[in-house]
Amino acid sequence: QEELVESGGGLVRPGGSLKLSCQGSGPMFSISAMAWFRQAPGNQREMVAAITNYGSTIRYADAVKGRFTISRDNAKKLMFLQMNSLEPEDTAVYYCASDRYWNNILEARPNNWGQGTQVTVSS
């Protein structure tokens, strides 16, 4: 129901940084949980980071903990993923997702998905 559009992907050298943005729309944004997922060729989709509607609860995958930061600006219907100390293993298509219910996010079955943005970490 919610349209989500990612931006900010690109090519970056190992150790570099990127900031992804997700632009939402509609009245459900501010009361929906949101998350970033990623999928690399030959790998399963995995959750990278998730955040509740007011940001009171945040979760990160172990692989990105301490390097990535998820945040949101409900007034502007925006969600962000700041990625620092990037590694080649972070190369993947990154997807923005949302759902009215937190459990759907945690179970990796959100109702709303963006189109994805490519992140490539290479020297």
Side-chain angles (χ1 to χ4, degrees):
Q1 301 298 318
E2 182 84 13
E3 183 179 16
L4 303 171
V5 180
E6 304 95 331
S7 62
L11 175 65
V12 64
R13 297 173 64 87
S17 297
L18 281 175
K19 186 175 183 178
L20 305 183
S21 298
C22 174
Q23 179 68 66
S25 62
M28 300 297 293
F29 185 94
S30 63
I31 60 174
S32 296
M34 303 194 71
W36 290 96
F37 291 81
R38 69 184 182 186
Q39 186 167 22
N43 293 103
Q44 293 183 319
R45 179 189 62 191
E46 65 172 337
M47 184 190 299
V48 177
I51 185 169
T52 52
N53 56 351
Y54 294 146
S56 59
T57 300
I58 294 175
R59 296 186 64 176
Y60 295 101
D62 288 342
V64 309
K65 194 171 299 182
R67 300 188 296 119
F68 291 11
T69 302
I70 188 172
S71 61
R72 64 191 296 167
D73 183 340
N74 287 343
K76 299 180 179 179
K77 300 184 187 299
L78 282 169
M79 180 180 65
F80 306 99
L81 184 67
Q82 178 66 52
M83 304 184 293
N84 298 326
S85 302
L86 283 162
E87 305 166 352
E89 292 75 17
D90 296 315
T91 296
V93 177
Y94 284 71
Y95 298 92
C96 174
S98 70
D99 197 283
R100 177 66 179 83
Y101 299 99
W102 181 237
N103 284 343
N104 286 345
I105 295 290
L106 298 181
E107 295 169 7
R109 51 184 181 90
N111 284 312
N112 304 304
W113 294 90
Q115 81 288 349
T117 185
Q118 177 71 49
V119 173
T120 302
V121 184
S122 176
S123 60

